[in-house]
Amino acid sequence: MSKMQKMSKMRLSKNLNDKLAKIQTLNFKSTQVNDEKIVKKISNNESFQSSMKNTLSVAYAVGLFPIKGIRENQAIALSYNKLSVPSFLSLFTILTLLWAAILSLVHTIRSLLKVNSGKSGGFANATAGGIFYSNAFVSSCIFRKLASTWPNIMIQWEKHEKDAYPYPKLRARTRAIAIIILILALTEHMLSIGINTPTCRANILLGNSTLRECLKEYCLRSHSFIFNAVQYNMALGLFIFYVSKVATFAWNFQDLFLILTCSGLVAKYRNINNKILKTDIAASNIKDWRFMRELYTNCSELARDFSSMLGPLVLLSFTNNLYFICLQMLNGLAPSLQGPLHNAYFFGSFGFMVGRLICVALAAAAVPIEARRSLPFLRCCPASTYCLEIQRLGFQLTHDEVGLTGMGFFTVNRNFMLGVAGAVATYEVVLLQFDMGQTPPPTLTE
Amino acid sequence: MSKMQKMSKMRLSKNLNDKLAKIQTLNFKSTQVNDEKIVKKISNNESFQSSMKNTLSVAYAVGLFPIKGIRENQAIALSYNKLSVPSFLSLFTILTLLWAAILSLVHTIRSLLKVNSGKSGGFANATAGGIFYSNAFVSSCIFRKLASTWPNIMIQWEKHEKDAYPYPKLRARTRAIAIIILILALTEHMLSIGINTPTCRANILLGNSTLRECLKEYCLRSHSFIFNAVQYNMALGLFIFYVSKVATFAWNFQDLFLILTCSGLVAKYRNINNKILKTDIAASNIKDWRFMRELYTNCSELARDFSSMLGPLVLLSFTNNLYFICLQMLNGLAPSLQGPLHNAYFFGSFGFMVGRLICVALAAAAVPIEARRSLPFLRCCPASTYCLEIQRLGFQLTHDEVGLTGMGFFTVNRNFMLGVAGAVATYEVVLLQFDMGQTPPPTLTE
Amino acid sequence: MSKMQKMSKMRLSKNLNDKLAKIQTLNFKSTQVNDEKIVKKISNNESFQSSMKNTLSVAYAVGLFPIKGIRENQAIALSYNKLSVPSFLSLFTILTLLWAAILSLVHTIRSLLKVNSGKSGGFANATAGGIFYSNAFVSSCIFRKLASTWPNIMIQWEKHEKDAYPYPKLRARTRAIAIIILILALTEHMLSIGINTPTCRANILLGNSTLRECLKEYCLRSHSFIFNAVQYNMALGLFIFYVSKVATFAWNFQDLFLILTCSGLVAKYRNINNKILKTDIAASNIKDWRFMRELYTNCSELARDFSSMLGPLVLLSFTNNLYFICLQMLNGLAPSLQGPLHNAYFFGSFGFMVGRLICVALAAAAVPIEARRSLPFLRCCPASTYCLEIQRLGFQLTHDEVGLTGMGFFTVNRNFMLGVAGAVATYEVVLLQFDMGQTPPPTLTE
Amino acid sequence: MSKMQKMSKMRLSKNLNDKLAKIQTLNFKSTQVNDEKIVKKISNNESFQSSMKNTLSVAYAVGLFPIKGIRENQAIALSYNKLSVPSFLSLFTILTLLWAAILSLVHTIRSLLKVNSGKSGGFANATAGGIFYSNAFVSSCIFRKLASTWPNIMIQWEKHEKDAYPYPKLRARTRAIAIIILILALTEHMLSIGINTPTCRANILLGNSTLRECLKEYCLRSHSFIFNAVQYNMALGLFIFYVSKVATFAWNFQDLFLILTCSGLVAKYRNINNKILKTDIAASNIKDWRFMRELYTNCSELARDFSSMLGPLVLLSFTNNLYFICLQMLNGLAPSLQGPLHNAYFFGSFGFMVGRLICVALAAAAVPIEARRSLPFLRCCPASTYCLEIQRLGFQLTHDEVGLTGMGFFTVNRNFMLGVAGAVATYEVVLLQFDMGQTPPPTLTE
């Protein structure tokens, strides 16, 4: 049912966009000056697509974002083709992740059925792999879907960019965010590899350990559930190594993508707000305001399209992050006597995941805040220049529900973050009590 | 108090409807063309009543929906009569269910008073029967009430259908939903019967078991509370079998009815929204918008009538589903060593109930989403064709609280679903702790 | 701080009322016909004051509602005088309840300090008396305060009653509610007395027990905390008997008063809504709507005054009811082996309190529902008669926050009731776990 | 990310203010009469800055509020200079608190790692110092930031004060609040010192104890974590004594500052509301309402600036108070056998902190209540004088979200207070269960 609904929604929002395009052609024809050259030159450097291209290229290479012309600066050069090489690469990635997800889910179900037999920490160990690979699989499907709508939405994005001329400076900021997050993710994953190869680590310092052995140790320790069914061999080991890297990248990329997209939207809104706030309100006329209202309406339209497009990703990202944060907290609170590297990994990984979630939430929560920023300014409009357009803009700013939602189940804003924090705290305490109830205190057995 | 209020509300909403009818006669006279023949022909196939008739016929046969002319395609042919045959059948069903409800509630109270005496799982066993038959009884009363208002509301539904000409295609969709849910319900109930006749099952394969014995075993196992007071005999067995089938049907039909009605409302809204979104907004005039505003207002009126009519059913359905989901989770989490059929039943039944609840919630939550869908389009209206009618429609779309509510206690939307999921998780954990606290771990006694 | 605020608020709302009065004199002069005789005659039977007078008379007699002319039918005949006899009676009641509250609170504090010493059920036993008498004391203070504003607000109430001519029929309804609640309260209290005089009960059947002995037994059992300090004597016994009756009356009267007042407000709104809904909307003009908007505004003003006046009472009533419901549930869930009278009392008292709370909540929640009822009708207004007045009325109906609040801490509506029910369930489970944790299972000591 | 956002926000709200100033110069020129002398004279006594100066002077002396001309009555005389003496004093305070915060956090982390080794009450003891000094450090940084914007915002505050002529009487009220809170804080801190010097207290009565010894005892008992690393000496003792006094002052001053600022805002709104409510609404014209709308808009602008400026302080204050209230409740509920001074301290300190939090919350919650107070009055405007300005003012009053927020994570209003109370109760019960689970009952070991 939900799918059917979504489909009809997408179909209609397409109609709507076509219509919008028509309207805007009618309205803006007069304002289109021959500044296309300048625009093109600048957009090469500061357009949203251009600022995203490096990050998206990485995803493209991994097989998550199958778009032709991903390294172009302009939306018009992008295209999605089901029968192209990147599309087949993406299909291969999806199938690989599906295979890993099925194997790990089988392990999860088997372990859960055995949970009552008494081993502590069973729940966490049983589900972690299944959730991790399922998340990667769903994520790769969502990104394939996203890629198919990306060229159109980027054209939409660039359409009215020249009306709000001084472009937001996105490049530097986007690059900084992407590099920081990817480096942190890499560090976290290196630590995770380090933990899963204790023997190898010890031997490598002594010089008597080969990469081959390290790989074997890593695979057997971290993906033991696969080798319950199959025998280990070098090729399988390499394949598993590759799959786990792809899944880890998807795990990080879904959050990074959300952060960058939200930053872009905020920059677009900020651009319009700056235009509005720079207006000499006492000398403005109805035409100025009509222009600005239309700018704002277009931007909101774009934000709404993004919101409905990113809905499944937001839901996936929050569910996944909350699961791993709860898991890591449980692991962290349980006594672990396995040396400083483990401690570093646990604290580092936990901090990284909490930080990543907070970044996603703050970035998404910034959209509605920025969208509403010029509302007080409109209220200060003197009676002499107050007009219907200001009234319409004011009404729209007051009532418009801009902002990312997890498919309508929740809207991401700061208040929601407080709620999530409270819920995590509550569940953590309950889970801890549960855990303490299950493990008998060691003093009683002595 | 609540009843008195409701009565006055219904009385007034009737007034309101009469008034509306009058107004619409005044307004629409000019737009009424002689297309009645075409309308009639199409409405025979695609009207809401025609798409519902098969499902309602089943309920009619069981005695839940006592309306004359239930298999007609047009609202005008329907009628409700207190002194007709279907009405007496419905009364008989209600009384039968009342009898079963009283017997099972007596059993519930007796069991609860004995709960402290120590048998585990007592709470679930004690209440399940009582809740099941009470739900069926209340459900049958609500449906009798619904049936009495059904002819009027169907006339209301069809009144403006020709104004929004290309009818929504409801038939195929409705039929598909009804068939899927009823087949799943049947399968679930078959499994439940299978579980309650273990001896019979074994013997049937060997060929030495009669239906008579099976019935006896089924009755004694699944309705033991009745035979605490009365001796078993064949007639009573058949009667109990009949009652339990009716109650099971009511248990499924209440959710199916909600899903189908909400789908109908969504289709009606979608129809109007498509009309609005197809408008050439730059060439439209105030008359077009007046027409569309009136279409929308009529549809909202209808939605509001449905909402107040379905209020008790929504409340009953959610309460009932949540109770059985919690119960099944508790049963599922407790260790059960009774073979694969039991496991299949527990997982299947649990999945079916969760899926059914999600379907009801999503169907109900789709109404307000669809009702507001054309709001962004209105915002794009250029200044040249902006008029009072668009302003009124925009204001109405912004502030109108369309959507099903559980008698005002909650409004069904996606955010509410998240809240319900959170509450179920919390209660489940608390109940589990409770359960673990009450049953002493078996290893300690050895 | 909160007090200062409240004071300034009341002062200003007085200004506002004066202003309103002035405005209304200006506006309504033309509509004032010489129908005063009819009005007076009818208002004698159906005015709000006349429908409340019997209930308020009882409170007057107990010393809770010190107003002169309480049995008059018209607001003009009421007056509040600090130096009158009823005022002194009320002061005496307040001081008596203060004395009982202090004694019981001293007992509460002493018991709480001893709680750790181990006796089970200590918390409930320790606090019940203190809460009961504190509630009665605060309640009596609030009612004295209410009485001082009652004459003015009744004048306000009657001022525009003749504009909305066919008066709501309040008398019969009010009387029925008052009688039912008071009889149930009496029954509940009788049971409570019966439980506290077991010996006497047994002896009275045998004929060898005097009232004097019964009184002594009742006082010593139910108010033991007083006789820790003082010796029992007949006069003190009678006095305690009197005080406990007054406190019980206050405990019930505060809820009854809220129910009746809300019913009155709902009736006033319903009256206006009926007037609006009876309008022939296609033939109405701007004057009709101005008149109705002013009627509605006056009524909302009154509702707002009532809301701020009843704020403390709502807060007190909800806190108090929730405390006693939790207490009774804890008592009821604990095993009690004291015969059928105890069971009847526990179940009856619990049901009575839950029912009373639900009645208060539903009555208060009905105000905003009724206030907004005519909103859909306004939306159906055709373009030909749509005017500024309808726009203003529509905006007001959409955004006006009518409804009782607990001093701003919560607004009473049906959604809030669901929240309260959820909170009670959660606390109950937690308290039960707590209780089970504290009392060692009896089987362990054997 | 959040920081970057905030910065841009502040930059833009500055632009906005400049713009506002320009607009207002255009609009108000005509209303500026030559009443500057009177204004100056009165503003010397009743301006907000003049009413705050004594309180701010104390903070200035401690090094928390580094502004030149802090004792002046007019905003124009204030200035913030990074290279002035107060700025260096403030830097010194910040560094001192940073030193104490680091030392105590090191102690916290060490203690937490040792918590599993079994000592009860460990969590509270481990974190209290760290939280206390971290709070003081963050608080001092926030106040330095606040001081840098204070002169500008005070100029903003005074700008339109003469338009709303009869100034609110703030001086007496502000002074009373400041004195009461500071005296209570002093008493609470004296008790805390008393508890930490038990030997000294005993000896002082006998006359054989020197201040030097008392200081040593106080430092060693209350700041033991510092002397794990360093040896005690007189100079360090004095220094620690000084630091702890500064931190305690900051701990109280942050709440006091919030209460006073909110009172100021409420007084400003009340002033405007009184002006509105005194208007003869039937004789008013559009100019009167334009004037009042502009007054209101300016005030809301100011409130919004304050809200974004105080955001971090609100968040810090609520987090900090909730932490210490939970801590004190846990301590209070645990059995303490250390004499009446300890009991007095525990109950007094707990009551003081709860009262302080309630005062902050009520003061902040009063802002939106007061801001919306004149809304009902506007609704009573008769049709004859209803105009666009009243419509704009009404729309603004209805939809404006005035009020303090904790950086957008929560809005402080009375409903939020109820939520906080519920959350504290829940966590307290959970923590208590936790605590009871960890400490074995002493009777079992005997």
Side-chain angles (χ1 to χ4, degrees), chain C residues 189-198 201 341:
Chain C
H189 194 60
M190 285 297 166
L191 280 172
S192 148
I193 291 181
I195 279 173
N196 280 310
T197 49
R201 245 192 306 145
L341 191 67

Side-chain angles (χ1 to χ4, degrees), chain A residues 343-363:
Chain A
N343 279 339
Y345 172 66
F346 276 130
F347 283 102
S349 176
F350 180 66
F352 173 62
M353 284 192 299
V354 169
R356 209 175 53 185
L357 177 59
I358 289 178
C359 283
V360 172
L362 280 180

